[in-house]
Amino acid sequence: MPPSTDLRDLLAGAVLAVAPRLLGSVLRHGEVACRITEVEAYDGARDPGSHANRGETARNAVMFGPPGHLYVYFTYGMHYCCNVVCGPPGSPSAVLVRAGEVVDGLDLARARRTPARSDRDLARGPANLCQALGIEAKQNGHDLTRPPLTMTPPELLADDVRTGPRVGLRLAADRPWRFWLPKEPSVSTYRPAVSRRRGP
DNA sequence: GCTCCGATTATCT
DNA sequence: GATAATCGGAGCG
């Protein structure tokens, strides 16, 4: 008998409370499953770093919908990243899933991630994680209570959660809204967004 | 481990 | 037209 950690109950809260509680949860798509080790919170329309901060558009519409759905976006011309939409209703908040440990379907994950030099790299970084799990544009808006793409909350809350700045943002780069589990090899090293100089 | 840099295109100004 | 919630390879330590 599992504890009362129903996914919908968990995701109903405010994103800054929800994000660290998702560490240790399992995101499964078919035969591949990842235990989540690193996430970031995106706090509604007030968050300058969020895709939702300029209002609803075709791309970010899922963030404005009900909790428990997956917001998948395409970036840098070649990568997908996925977020879990959370509450409260009407606030376009979401948790970016940045990294995880592949705990099932290793063979398929390895086949999808041929550049990975070791298993810890299979789902290290948000775009790599999506690739390992086979998450693409057609999974945008998916309800995570419906197999084959599901999220299962952890049985125990992580008791040692680290926090720091979010990765790759120029806006609101000071907010420590990245959460990760210590001593997990799948957690990315921090890369600040640098304003790349062009020309002399 | 680190830093530099090119790939490649949807999205928004 | 510029930017982007990124990645991997090259070169260095």
Side-chain angles (χ1 to χ4, degrees):
Chain A
M1 173 77 196
S4 64
T5 47
D6 175 74
L7 183 67
R8 292 203 180 283
D9 291 345
L10 176 60
L11 297 181
V15 66
L16 291 177
V18 170
R21 292 171 179 240
L22 288 180
L23 293 171
S25 60
V26 172
L27 184 58
R28 170 177 291 277
H29 186 200
E31 66 182 274
V32 179
C34 286
R35 173 179 155 265
I36 303 308
T37 57
E38 179 187 2
V39 298
E40 284 175 1
Y42 287 84
D43 188 18
R46 300 178 303 287
D47 179 358
S50 171
H51 289 169
N53 90 98
R54 290 182 201 267
E56 184 172 345
T57 65
R59 174 171 73 156
N60 65 22
V62 173
M63 292 181 89
F64 289 78
H69 291 241
L70 201 63
Y71 165 48
V72 182
Y73 68 91
F74 186 66
T75 192
Y76 288 101
M78 61 189 100
H79 299 302
Y80 294 99
C81 299
C82 71
N83 300 247
V84 179
V85 176
C86 61
S91 82
S93 302
V95 177
L96 172 68
V97 183
R98 284 198 57 86
E101 173 197 7
V102 175
V103 292
D104 197 15
L106 260 177
D107 289 343
L108 180 52
R110 288 173 180 145
R112 286 170 171 162
R113 291 272 303 115
T114 49
R117 311 226 273 84
S118 69
D119 285 348
R120 79 166 203 178
D121 294 329
L122 290 174
R124 191 181 204 227
N128 290 336
L129 179 139
C130 281
Q131 195 168 5
L133 284 167
I135 291 173
E136 300 179 9
K138 64 174 149 185
Q139 276 76 36
N140 187 38
H142 176 84
D143 178 351
L144 287 169
T145 63
R146 299 179 137 218
L149 178 52
T150 59
M151 176 160 245
T152 305
E155 306 211 350
L156 295 173
L157 281 184
D159 58 0
D160 190 6
V161 174
R162 304 301 163 91
T163 68
R166 296 178 290 186
V167 174
L169 294 192
R170 295 195 309 170
L171 274 39
D174 54 318
R175 304 188 188 190
W177 291 350
R178 174 181 178 227
F179 304 87
W180 68 92
L181 296 175
K183 294 191 244 180
E184 290 287 343
S186 57
V187 172
S188 3
T189 54
Y190 175 57
R191 285 191 310 277
V194 290
S195 45
R196 215 177 281 174
R197 34 174 299 167
R198 84 205 90 202

